[in-house]
Amino acid sequence: MSETNDFSQYLDLLNEEQRQAVEHEGSPLLILAGAGSGKTRVITTKIAYLISQKNVEPWSILSVTFTKKAANEMKERAIKLESRAEASQIRTFHSFGSWFLRKYYEAAGLEPSFTVYDDDDMETILKKAVPSLSKKEVKLAAHQISLAKDYCLTPEDDLGFLGSEFDINQIYFEYQKRLKATGNADFGDLIMLPTILLEKDSQIASYIHNRFKVVMVDEYQDSNIAQYRLLQKISGIESGNDSYVCVVGDDDQSIYHFRGAEVQNILTFPQKFPGTQIIRLEKNYRSTANILKAAEIVVKKNQDRLGKNLISQRGEGGKPVLAFLPDQNAEAVFAGDLIKKSLSDKEGKYSDWAILYRTNAQSLVFEKEFLRRKIPYVVVGSLKFYEREEIRDALSYISLFANPKDEISFRRVINKPTRGIGEKTQDKIMENAVILDEQNNPVYKNLLETAAQSAKSFSKKAQDGINDFVKIFANLKDCFDDSKKLSYFVEKIIKDSGLEEYHKAGDEIDGTTRVLNLEELVNSAVSYPCTMQGLIEFLDAINLDRTLAAENESKNDDAVTLITLHNTKGLEYKKVVITGLEEGVFPWQTKTGAELEEERRLFYVGITRAKDELYVTSAAKRCMYGGWKIMTPSPFIKEAAPAFTAIGVKPFGFGNNHNSENKSFYGDDFENDEVSELAAKWKTGTKIFNDDYGYGYITSTKKSGSEFLIEVTFETGSKKRFFPKYQEKSLMIIKDE
């Protein structure tokens, strides 16, 4: 900052609570920063204020956060306010750990030029340290060792809480011995080793305490046990050190327990750091008041929270909409209709919209609908559905069954899961499969038959692997049954191939949803008959989706965002649709106690991403595990119902007492003449065409509350319900000549 600048100009930009937080000094400080309350401005202004106005040496300030992006943004903004902030330590937790260990590598038992091992490196070392472990056990043990380090626990500690199926203490011990021999560290060591050194070495602890007189932590609700202990040791709070400690966070946005985050760190901060003052940042600059009302109703149901009330600085805004829809397809059509309608406004953009869901598998139905309607979209934090590893694997098995000459599919899956059929063996099979046609051009024979015929020329392990692989496809030949759905066949091939178990192991270790994605692929085959023709139509439809996706790829940033709720933290959108509010979907599976409270916080995070408009959807039935399942509305929308305008056919328990307005999402009350107009157009017996279900007839119509509903029976025998008011674009009336 130049000398001519008056720092008061920056303080004048803050509201009363923000300024109070910036100017606070002395005791430990907990800044309880609600969503959209301007916490980054507070942190960066506080760093600049301490240097400029309180003469704190820049190099004595340590400010840590969780992502490189956040750390870089904080540093850039602090430097703009005060150029000397360049000398401050504004880092991620792990970057600080690396800095510390570079300085004290010898005391930590590391080489001066040590490298940091990632997850794959950990597995390689672990396999060498404990050769008896299978590949799956290696992945699981590596994950459990990482989790132990997140809790700052060594092989000598009680690790029973991990619920390991083997002697994890001994495996951890062998791993550490092998790791120490390399002189390198793994990712977990970047937090654990500095913490242990600060506990054991008083000389190092004294230097660090004297070096860092100000310690600040952003997103403190996301810290794990090891990071909490490191904060204690750096600050020297236990030994009466006079370092100033300030943490910033929001207990209502603690949603990463599966990664080791511990919400109790922020809840118990005032007890762990005596004399703590709490300053609440409650003025919200992102969302309208009606959206914040919904968020508040939701999160207040949690018992384990410090509590705050967000106050919108943007006016009342429209009331959020709760849409009860027949099924997941109607959910996607509903979202598509909202988006298309908003684009009729010249100022509307696709990028105004975000579709939020609990699991990645839920994106498929939206991807298909948006492709069909040429709505540009981007999937954030995940691959598009058909690009995911597990989906490509399953489709390769299916494609190879349909066409046994498919070399790409053959090579992808013959050794997945591992069957001891290496690349050289595969090359030999391919050589044996080549024959010359009448024009002397090379063509492939049936690769499955060739593999079986070639097996005897390979090792015993490869022979067994090839025989097992070929047997999978032989057993599938009798599975076609036109009385069943193709989902039966797809589910069988996923199970028999070993893909389900293979990817389930990945779910356990990485916290991903690979098996859910495979289930969603099974669900997508429900509308096809279990015949070879049905299989070909299924693959054709997928290939068409892929082609449409390629055609719709554009460098244009104007696209709808498809994103999981966990990935939305820190983001904001003008218009948000939160989908799948049903028991077992959101909240996910059977959650109780602290887990249910975290799911509720996740809903709160989703709601507070919306700036101007919020829509929440709940389906009456959903395709799950290869069949349609009647769903029960999420308890969260039952809790939050008073904050929403409900539309659609309300399930039992959602009477008009929950909603006095009962408006449509177009904002106008339905008048009787409007319902009459719909009834006149969509009569019983009218022939209908739908892109997803084909031809059918309207078999019944009714008025439900203020909504007009039709039921269509399609030629496939399936019955679907539609709201013509919202879903007219997906339906075509066919007039017979």
Side-chain angles (χ1 to χ4, degrees):
M1 184 185 75
S2 66
E3 293 180 3
T4 57
N5 279 342
D6 180 2
F7 200 85
S8 63
Q9 66 180 306
Y10 302 124
L11 295 176
D12 290 343
L13 295 173
L14 306 175
N15 65 40
E16 182 181 348
E17 293 76 23
Q18 290 173 334
R19 182 162 184 161
Q20 185 184 357
V22 167
E23 295 179 333
H24 176 274
E25 56 185 323
S27 64
L29 175 64
L30 167 57
I31 302 175
L32 205 58
S37 62
K39 71 177 179 62
T40 304
R41 170 178 283 186
V42 171
I43 298 168
T44 53
T45 305
K46 190 172 183 70
I47 292 170
Y49 173 81
L50 289 168
I51 297 169
S52 173
Q53 306 299 300
K54 293 299 178 179
N55 299 316
V56 174
E57 294 291 351
W59 51 264
S60 71
I61 297 175
L62 171 64
S63 180
V64 292
T65 187
F66 285 84
T67 68
K68 187 175 181 180
K69 180 182 176 183
N72 288 342
E73 181 186 355
M74 284 171 58
K75 188 151 195 167
E76 288 171 8
R77 290 174 65 170
I79 291 170
K80 283 182 180 178
L81 300 177
E82 169 54 73
S83 60
R84 288 178 290 166
E86 174 75 41
S88 298
Q89 292 266 21
I90 304 176
R91 298 175 172 271
T92 65
F93 261 110
H94 290 93
S95 172
F96 170 77
S98 179
W99 171 87
F100 182 100
L101 292 176
R102 294 291 173 199
K103 190 174 184 65
Y104 298 111
Y105 65 87
E106 192 171 5
L110 302 173
E111 289 293 312
S113 57
F114 72 87
T115 58
V116 181
Y117 286 147
D118 62 14
D119 292 346
D120 289 340
D121 297 326
M122 280 187 71
E123 291 172 22
T124 300
I125 294 174
L126 193 52
K127 182 62 178 175
K128 292 183 182 298
V130 191
S132 61
L133 293 177
S134 68
K135 186 175 181 180
K136 178 181 176 181
E137 289 171 336
V138 165
K139 289 181 75 71
L140 185 56
H143 171 67
Q144 291 177 346
I145 290 169
S146 293
L147 192 58
K149 291 190 176 187
D150 285 344
Y151 283 87
C152 216
L153 297 173
T154 69
E156 287 73 36
D157 292 311
D158 181 5
L159 303 179
F161 76 100
L162 293 172
S164 185
E165 59 192 47
F166 32 63
D167 188 351
I168 191 62
N169 288 77
Q170 183 60 35
I171 292 171
Y172 187 4
F173 174 79
E174 296 296 336
Y175 168 79
Q176 284 297 102
K177 188 165 67 172
R178 190 85 179 208
L179 178 63
K180 189 174 178 62
T182 70
N184 291 329
D186 61 28
F187 204 61
D189 288 334
L190 296 181
I191 305 298
M192 187 172 79
L193 290 181
T195 304
I196 292 173
L197 274 180
L198 288 169
E199 289 175 344
K200 293 184 176 179
D201 193 314
S202 59
Q203 189 173 352
I204 293 175
S206 178
Y207 173 83
I208 292 296
H209 296 161
N210 291 326
R211 166 70 191 271
F212 296 113
K213 293 299 184 182
V214 175
V215 184
M216 302 176 68
V217 183
D218 185 26
E219 302 286 5
Y220 188 62
Q221 78 282 346
D222 293 337
S223 61
N224 60 34
I225 296 298
Q227 289 160 341
Y228 155 71
R229 284 178 58 180
L230 180 60
L231 172 63
Q232 278 196 318
K233 302 309 170 187
I234 295 171
S235 66
I237 194 76
E238 295 169 320
S239 56
N241 190 272
D242 60 352
S243 293
Y244 176 70
V245 179
C246 170
V247 300
V248 186
D250 183 1
D251 53 329
D252 291 332
Q253 295 189 71
S254 179
I255 58 173
Y256 297 125
H257 185 68
F258 67 96
R259 294 180 188 168
E262 180 48 73
V263 69
Q264 291 300 321
N265 286 352
I266 192 168
L267 294 176
T268 61
F269 184 85
Q271 289 77 51
K272 299 293 177 62
F273 291 81
T276 291
Q277 181 176 348
I278 300 176
I279 295 176
R280 290 171 168 81
L281 304 184
E282 298 179 312
K283 290 189 173 76
N284 178 284
Y285 298 91
R286 178 187 298 152
S287 307
T288 59
N290 275 318
I291 290 172
L292 294 183
K293 180 182 178 182
E296 181 183 14
I297 289 176
V298 167
V299 82
K300 275 192 171 180
K301 298 293 182 180
N302 278 356
Q303 301 298 314
D304 229 354
R305 62 188 296 262
L306 295 170
K308 62 188 168 306
N309 297 303
L310 295 182
I311 304 163
S312 176
Q313 306 301 296
R314 299 193 56 237
E316 288 295 305
K319 201 171 182 181
V321 171
L322 168 58
F324 293 105
L325 300 166
D327 54 43
Q328 64 201 46
N329 298 308
E331 192 175 49
V333 170
F334 173 76
D337 288 347
L338 285 171
I339 294 165
K340 283 294 189 181
K341 183 177 184 297
S342 74
L343 266 291
S344 62
D345 177 357
K346 291 182 180 180
E347 295 183 1
K349 296 179 180 178
Y350 289 112
S351 56
D352 292 341
W353 289 90
I355 311 298
L356 279 50
Y357 37 78
R358 179 63 178 80
T359 65
N360 281 316
Q362 290 169 257
S363 77
L364 177 60
V365 67
F366 293 98
E367 292 187 50
K368 290 169 71 73
E369 178 68 15
F370 291 177
L371 287 170
R372 185 181 69 81
R373 296 173 70 168
K374 292 183 168 50
I375 296 174
Y377 69 90
V378 59
V379 181
V380 174
S382 173
L383 293 170
K384 292 184 177 180
F385 188 82
Y386 294 120
E387 294 172 359
R388 292 166 185 157
E389 177 192 1
E390 60 275 15
I391 300 303
R392 289 170 68 92
D393 291 343
L395 289 176
S396 290
Y397 271 102
I398 295 168
S399 298
L400 185 59
F401 181 87
N403 175 17
K405 296 182 180 182
D406 183 346
E407 179 185 3
I408 301 300
S409 294
F410 177 78
R411 284 186 178 274
R412 182 177 181 92
V413 298
I414 189 172
N415 202 39
K416 193 169 191 181
T418 304
R419 299 184 178 90
I421 309 169
E423 196 168 328
K424 289 182 179 179
T425 303
Q426 294 173 34
D427 290 341
K428 187 63 178 174
I429 294 171
M430 295 308 303
E431 286 177 22
N432 295 341
V434 175
I435 58 174
L436 299 177
D437 64 12
E438 294 176 356
Q439 285 75 41
N440 225 30
N441 295 316
V443 295
Y444 287 140
K445 295 188 293 184
N446 183 308
L447 297 178
L448 296 171
E449 292 177 359
T450 304
Q453 292 162 4
S454 306
K456 292 180 181 178
S457 62
F458 302 126
S459 67
K460 177 68 164 60
K461 184 176 182 181
Q463 282 185 49
D464 292 342
I466 289 170
N467 291 334
D468 288 343
F469 181 67
V470 172
K471 188 176 179 181
I472 294 167
F473 294 89
N475 291 340
L476 288 168
K477 289 180 178 177
D478 296 327
C479 288
F480 284 142
D481 182 345
D482 58 11
S483 69
K484 295 180 179 178
K485 301 297 184 184
L486 187 64
S487 53
Y488 165 77
F489 175 88
V490 176
E491 183 175 26
K492 183 171 178 60
I493 204 168
I494 289 171
K495 289 181 181 295
D496 290 1
S497 65
L499 282 181
E500 183 179 56
E501 283 301 313
Y502 176 80
H503 288 298
K504 187 180 289 184
D507 277 350
E508 292 172 6
I509 294 157
D510 301 328
T512 60
T513 53
R514 299 175 191 177
V515 172
L516 280 178
N517 292 335
L518 289 171
E519 288 173 358
E520 193 60 33
L521 183 68
V522 172
N523 295 339
S524 69
V526 166
S527 57
Y528 298 88
C530 192
T531 62
M532 179 57 81
Q533 183 61 33
L535 177 61
I536 292 170
E537 290 175 2
F538 174 66
L539 290 173
D540 281 348
I542 289 172
N543 288 329
L544 177 60
D545 283 348
R546 285 169 165 170
T547 303
L548 285 170
E551 289 174 354
N552 286 358
E553 288 293 340
S554 170
K555 293 182 180 178
N556 186 357
D557 292 333
D558 189 20
V560 178
T561 298
L562 300 181
I563 188 169
T564 64
L565 284 147
H566 279 103
N567 282 328
T568 62
K569 194 157 168 294
L571 303 176
E572 59 182 40
Y573 306 92
K574 285 188 176 181
K575 304 173 183 183
V576 168
V577 183
I578 306 177
T579 65
L581 267 292
E582 302 112 36
E583 286 187 9
V585 178
F586 190 25
W588 174 238
Q589 296 180 339
T590 305
K591 301 287 187 182
T592 57
E595 288 184 336
L596 183 63
E597 293 211 347
E598 178 155 323
E599 290 283 304
R600 192 178 280 114
R601 292 195 293 268
L602 189 58
F603 189 30
Y604 170 85
V605 166
I607 291 172
T608 54
R609 299 312 94 195
K611 297 170 69 175
D612 301 330
E613 296 178 22
L614 173 67
Y615 304 86
V616 174
T617 63
S618 180
K621 63 178 181 177
R622 188 173 292 276
C623 197
M624 301 178 74
Y625 315 112
W628 288 97
K629 181 180 178 183
I630 301 300
M631 307 302 292
T632 302
S634 168
F636 299 158
I637 54 175
K638 293 178 182 178
E639 296 167 356
F644 288 85
T645 292
I647 65 171
V649 180
K650 299 175 188 175
F652 181 77
F654 282 87
N656 287 332
N657 59 308
H658 286 302
N659 172 29
S660 59
E661 296 180 14
N662 200 27
K663 292 181 179 179
S664 76
F665 72 87
Y666 291 109
D668 301 317
D669 288 317
F670 276 123
E671 302 293 343
N672 289 335
D673 58 348
E674 188 173 27
V675 173
S676 298
E677 286 178 16
L678 291 168
K681 182 177 180 181
W682 304 90
K683 295 179 180 178
T684 302
T686 301
K687 191 174 183 180
I688 295 293
F689 178 78
N690 175 274
D691 283 347
D692 291 324
Y693 305 112
Y695 290 96
Y697 290 89
I698 298 176
T699 49
S700 69
T701 66
K702 67 177 180 178
K703 181 182 175 185
S704 178
S706 58
E707 307 290 344
F708 180 72
L709 179 73
I710 65 173
E711 183 172 81
V712 179
T713 300
F714 290 95
E715 291 177 347
T716 60
S718 65
K719 294 183 179 181
K720 304 292 178 186
R721 292 184 294 173
F722 299 92
F723 297 100
K725 175 73 178 179
Y726 314 129
Q727 297 170 264
E728 183 172 3
K729 291 180 181 178
S730 68
L731 301 171
M732 182 185 297
I733 294 177
I734 305 298
K735 295 182 179 179
D736 294 323
E737 298 296 334

